[in-house]
Amino acid sequence: MYTSFYTAARGAIEEQRKLDVVANNFANVNNYGYKPKSAVFSDLMYYSLNNYTGADLPLKAGTGTLVGKTDTKFDPSGFLPTDSGLDYAIVDKGFFMLRNPQNGTITYTRNGHFSLSQRGTQFYLVNDSGNLVLDQNRNPITVTDGKLSSPLGVYGFNILDGMLSVGNNEFSPVEKNGQPYLMRGAKLRDHTLEMSGVDTADEITKMIESQRAYAYALRMVQTSDEVVNTINALRQ
């Protein structure tokens, strides 16, 4: 009974984590260049039932599930025309490279909603967080009379799985992603922004599934508790 209680409680906790991921996707449904995330579940330890000999028996019981990781779907989304000449959208795969002007940290984004930031006598192309947008030589881009000093750089990775979301629709690569490489010939659209990749219908379906699983897990917790109380009452 205690195994079923804790297994059900763990299931409810992990379904709540999945709902948090879905809620985050809903919150970014209108965020340009946002890439939806999904919770990936992993099974916890299994054990053999009625195992008195130590043999590996076919009848097994599990101890629940765990949200092992959160995947990001980097597929390109639709496009939205704008009136700003500083808005850019990457047609296919790739990222804009950004540099934090305070600490030099490099991050990557699909959100091409850029603006100007004056530093001394120069105007630099920056994103919504104030990070500098880099060109194909990984140098900051300046803007004079509406013209960019050099073409925007679009960079890719051999492996996208596992990239860390650092907030503000920016990503930081990990070791397995490898080194970024310049995607020569990458196509850009000016006066255009990439729309959010969130599929509202799909997220609603995930939410309903998770809510039902959460309710079933809580019902199992309640049933397990009632059974234990009944057994304890019979012993008295």
Side-chain angles (χ1 to χ4, degrees), residues 66-104:
L66 179 72
V67 175
K69 62 178 181 177
T70 303
D71 280 346
T72 304
K73 185 178 180 181
F74 286 106
D75 294 344
S77 307
F79 300 110
L80 178 69
T82 70
D83 295 328
S84 175
L86 300 178
D87 288 340
Y88 293 90
I90 303 174
V91 174
D92 199 4
K93 299 179 181 180
F95 300 89
F96 297 110
M97 181 183 285
L98 309 172
R99 180 191 297 166
N100 188 305
Q102 276 72 42
N103 55 30

Side-chain angles (χ1 to χ4, degrees), residues 166-195:
V166 295
N168 298 319
N169 208 6
E170 298 176 22
F171 297 90
S172 178
V174 296
E175 183 178 356
K176 71 175 180 179
N177 298 131
Q179 294 298 317
Y181 61 89
L182 178 65
M183 301 181 66
R184 299 187 181 277
K187 295 182 179 180
L188 295 174
R189 291 187 182 182
D190 56 6
H191 293 81
T192 305
L193 289 173
E194 183 181 15
M195 301 173 64

Side-chain angles (χ1 to χ4, degrees), residues 19-206:
L19 282 172
D20 291 341
V21 174
V22 173
N24 182 68
N25 288 337
F26 273 123
N28 289 278
V29 70
N30 292 318
N31 191 353
Y32 299 123
Y34 176 79
K35 297 305 171 185
K37 298 172 174 56
S38 59
V40 179
F41 285 86
S42 300
D43 290 335
L44 295 178
M45 183 179 65
Y46 280 84
Y47 61 93
S48 299
L49 291 175
N50 302 324
N51 187 3
Y52 303 109
T53 63
D56 187 14
L57 302 177
L59 187 59
K60 298 181 181 295
T63 54
T65 60
L66 179 72
V67 175
K69 62 178 181 177
T70 303
D71 280 346
T72 304
K73 185 178 180 181
F74 286 106
D75 294 344
S77 307
F79 300 110
L80 178 69
T82 70
D83 295 328
S84 175
L86 300 178
D87 288 340
Y88 293 90
I90 303 174
V91 174
D92 199 4
K93 299 179 181 180
F95 300 89
F96 297 110
M97 181 183 285
L98 309 172
R99 180 191 297 166
N100 188 305
Q102 276 72 42
N103 55 30
T105 302
I106 299 295
T107 55
Y108 300 85
T109 186
R110 292 279 300 185
N111 184 3
H113 181 57
F114 301 139
S115 57
L116 298 181
S117 176
Q118 184 173 8
R119 302 173 185 275
T121 59
Q122 292 284 348
F123 286 91
Y124 288 85
L125 192 67
V126 298
N127 75 333
D128 292 337
S129 302
N131 293 329
L132 299 169
V133 183
L134 305 186
D135 62 12
Q136 297 180 358
N137 295 317
R138 306 188 183 188
N139 296 319
I141 298 174
T142 59
V143 181
T144 304
D145 297 329
K147 295 183 178 180
L148 305 184
S149 60
S150 53
L152 286 162
V154 178
Y155 294 85
F157 294 88
N158 291 326
I159 299 175
L160 296 179
D161 184 40
M163 291 190 73
L164 297 178
S165 178
V166 295
N168 298 319
N169 208 6
E170 298 176 22
F171 297 90
S172 178
V174 296
E175 183 178 356
K176 71 175 180 179
N177 298 131
Q179 294 298 317
Y181 61 89
L182 178 65
M183 301 181 66
R184 299 187 181 277
K187 295 182 179 180
L188 295 174
R189 291 187 182 182
D190 56 6
H191 293 81
T192 305
L193 289 173
E194 183 181 15
M195 301 173 64
S196 172
V198 176
D199 186 335
T200 306
D202 184 47
E203 297 301 324
I204 291 176
T205 301
K206 291 180 181 178

